[in-house]
Amino acid sequence: MTVDAPTTVVNLGEKKARKLTSSRRPVWMEKPSAATQGVKGLVLLLICIAVIYPFMIVIGTSLSTQEEIARNNGFVLFPAEPTLAAYQTIFAGGIVTEALLRSVGITLVGTALSVTLTVLMAYGLSRRGLLGGGFFLMTALLTMLFTPGIIPTFLVVKELGLLDTYAALILPTALSAFNLVIVRSFMMGIPSELTEAARLDGAGDLRILWHVVLPLSKAVIAVVGLFYAVGYWNAFFNAMLYVDSDKWPLAMVLRQYVLLGSSIDQSAAAEIAAPSQAIQMAVIVISIVPILCVYPFLQKYFTKGVLTGAIKG
């Protein structure tokens, strides 16, 4: 039996085409062209300018004199005669210095407490077979889906005797259901062979958490800790509701400087009333710098694969 030559050629061509198609790499794995790289570089440059330019204006305005600010319609990028008068005025008054120390303390204590509660609850809920685990997880998720509101929260804080205390700035937001779900999902992805091996060696839950789970969870804990720290550092609404002006954190003082230009508490009004543009910008710089100093130390955990090589098959 013979086969027509044209049919054989067509079959061979189809096989070759299928082979070439199957061996071709995906588009995203191909090396980008010079034009594509140029466009990406231009886009990144524009994004950097859009982010850095306002920040440079804030710094430049904080280092300018009132006359130079007036000549430039309120915003200065490169001051002709830089001066630290605005910063000297702020720290000489005492309100910003005290508020800065309060914010540092609230952020450190609140972040440590929140991370501890989140890790402990996430570890418990990540263990299979936990009695009542589904109920506690659903309770936490309901707090994320249905928030209690301002008035019920205020009444709870009042009945607990937390008004005009620093605890009122920490305890109502000590545990975030969103962060809890993130940490729990990460811990559930840790290979069970590691925890089972530790349990066979006689380790209890606390020892497994400390020596096995936490070292593998550094990345997610660092990210969640940064979320908590930024939240505590920038929070001002709870301070407005629960504490007097002598316990205001830096975010609340910043709000008074930038938005109102006066203080709710008359004892502090003399120092906050009618601030100049330079003083407003200087307070913004002071509130941003601590977060900028902390972020570089946590950046590596955002992309680091901590489980790579944990188990070799």
Side-chain angles (χ1 to χ4, degrees):
M1 181 177 180
T2 60
V3 180
D4 294 339
T7 304
T8 305
V9 172
V10 170
N11 293 336
L12 291 176
E14 291 179 353
K15 292 180 180 179
K16 186 176 181 180
R18 286 196 296 266
K19 184 177 181 181
L20 290 175
T21 303
S22 60
S23 62
R24 183 180 300 169
R25 295 191 303 176
V27 177
W28 57 85
M29 295 182 63
E30 298 292 339
K31 184 179 180 180
S33 62
T36 304
Q37 291 180 334
V39 172
K40 290 181 179 179
L42 179 60
V43 172
L44 290 176
L45 178 62
L46 293 177
I47 293 175
C48 291
I49 293 175
V51 173
I52 296 176
Y53 183 72
F55 188 64
M56 294 299 296
I57 288 181
V58 170
I59 296 177
T61 305
S62 69
L63 297 175
S64 303
T65 61
Q66 194 65 27
E67 294 77 12
E68 188 173 7
I69 294 175
R71 288 197 306 268
N72 291 274
N73 298 323
F75 298 101
V76 180
L77 182 59
F78 298 108
E81 299 178 358
T83 175
L84 296 175
Y87 295 93
Q88 293 173 354
T89 302
I90 289 173
F91 288 109
I95 288 183
V96 174
T97 305
E98 295 175 359
L100 179 61
L101 295 177
R102 293 190 204 105
S103 291
V104 171
I106 292 171
T107 301
L108 292 178
V109 175
T111 302
L113 177 62
S114 296
V115 170
T116 301
L117 294 176
T118 302
V119 169
L120 291 177
M121 190 170 181
Y123 174 73
L125 294 177
S126 66
R127 300 301 94 187
R128 295 176 176 82
L130 177 67
L131 181 62
F135 170 77
F136 291 112
L137 178 60
M138 185 58 63
T139 302
L141 292 178
L142 287 177
T143 63
M144 181 174 62
L145 299 175
F146 305 99
T147 56
I150 298 175
I151 295 178
T153 304
F154 180 84
L155 294 177
V156 170
V157 172
K158 180 180 178 181
E159 292 300 322
L160 293 177
L162 300 179
L163 288 180
D164 200 25
T165 63
Y166 294 116
L169 306 180
I170 298 176
L171 294 182
T173 56
L175 183 64
S176 169
F178 177 77
N179 294 334
L180 173 65
V181 171
I182 293 177
V183 179
R184 174 182 176 271
S185 300
F186 187 91
M187 290 183 176
M188 290 183 67
I190 295 178
S192 59
E193 290 84 352
L194 294 175
T195 57
E196 291 175 0
R199 199 174 297 278
L200 289 176
D201 291 338
D205 284 324
L206 290 179
R207 190 172 180 181
I208 292 175
L209 173 63
W210 184 259
H211 292 284
V212 178
V213 177
L214 287 183
L216 296 175
S217 305
K218 289 181 180 179
V220 69
I221 292 175
V223 173
V224 169
L226 182 62
F227 289 164
Y228 277 123
V230 172
Y232 282 115
W233 183 263
N234 292 330
F236 69 89
F237 192 71
N238 285 352
M240 185 191 304
L241 293 177
Y242 304 136
V243 298
D244 293 332
S245 60
D246 58 341
K247 292 183 175 65
W248 275 354
L250 183 62
M252 187 62 190
V253 175
L254 172 63
R255 178 180 182 274
Q256 300 303 109
Y257 268 102
V258 176
L259 298 181
L260 302 181
S262 62
S263 174
I264 297 176
D265 180 48
Q266 297 300 322
S267 64
E271 296 185 31
I272 301 183
S276 67
Q277 190 83 353
I279 294 179
Q280 294 178 1
M281 298 301 176
V283 175
I284 294 176
V285 173
I286 293 172
S287 64
I288 292 176
V289 166
I291 296 298
L292 293 180
C293 294
V294 172
Y295 181 78
F297 297 98
L298 301 178
Q299 184 181 11
K300 62 180 180 179
Y301 292 109
F302 281 79
T303 56
K304 183 180 179 181
V306 293
L307 289 181
T308 303
I311 293 182
K312 298 187 181 295

